[in-house]
Amino acid sequence: MSALFDVILPVFLVVGFGYVICWRGMLSEVAVDGIMRFAQNFAVPVLLFQAIAKLDLGANFDPFLLLAFYIGAFLSFGVGMGAARLWLKRPLEDSIAIGFVCLFSNSLLLGIPITERAYGPDALEGNFTIIAIHSPLLYTFGITVMEFARARGQNLSVGRVALRALSGVLHTPLVIGILCGLVMNLLTQAGLVMPEGFWGAVKMLASAALPAALFALGGVLYRYRPEGEMRAIALCCVASLLLHPGVTFGLGKLFDLSVAEMRSSVVTASMAPGVNAYLFASLYGVAKRVAASAVLVATALSVLTIWFWLSVLP
């Protein structure tokens, strides 16, 4: 019970505060979009830059940690896309977008604060190991699959479709922050020493990232209230909240991950789909209502499922 009140509740209170503020009309949609744009395009990329720049790459990039998390993620995508196509009879592009909702857990805006509150700031190395390739890998995969689906009958070469997907990924602020952090990490290992004033400014901006993003997330979720499509929404919730962490937990046991790695991988896998899942659907104009509603419903349900996974983990 203490995990619910001490770990999960503070994070969701910030999200709920943003939700209530927008519900009562104290902030306009334009203002909420501005806060979210600041968080996602500037503060969060700086947070990722700081984390990756100071990450011990050799010590923390455990392939079994990544396999446990990403096998679960891609299996959730396959189940979500396959069920949407075969069971719900959705068009192929819709099915891919629904699969992406099942694939893209909110590893950063919810995963980081939940893990930090549960296990302390020193427990985040595994989280950042996962996050370092999360957006680049999943966006590249999702965009590539969608572009190939949309290119049917257009006689586009594989190289051209892949180049279009890579271009879209490299223009993502989160990916830019990760890549800049990786470059800084390598330069630091080569002997570059940045002044303390630089890191002080980075820390100030990074510290604003999660509170601003969580608050804005509440405002964004208020906008996307569920409307029908309950079978598709239920599919997304089951895949993201139960299947993904369940597979990750089982593989973590099989791969004999350390306690810290189990915590990071399973907690991250148990997060609800992120707003980026809706943005992906919106980018292609398919399954937007399902994606938006699934993000909202799964985020609310994740209060209980996260509590469950925290009780299971050592």
Side-chain angles (χ1 to χ4, degrees), residues 5 49 55 75 90 107 118-120 165 168 173 186 188 199 220 245 252 305:
F5 290 102
F49 166 81
L55 192 67
L75 181 61
R90 303 291 294 244
S107 59
Y119 307 116
L186 297 175
T188 301
W199 291 113
V220 171
T305 56

Side-chain angles (χ1 to χ4, degrees), residues 16-34:
F17 183 52
Y19 190 98
V20 171
I21 289 296
C22 293
W23 169 48
R24 302 307 301 166
M26 298 179 189
L27 273 181
S28 66
E29 290 187 2
V30 173
V32 172
D33 288 341

Side-chain angles (χ1 to χ4, degrees), residues 197 200 212 223 231:
R223 192 182 309 168
R231 290 192 301 169

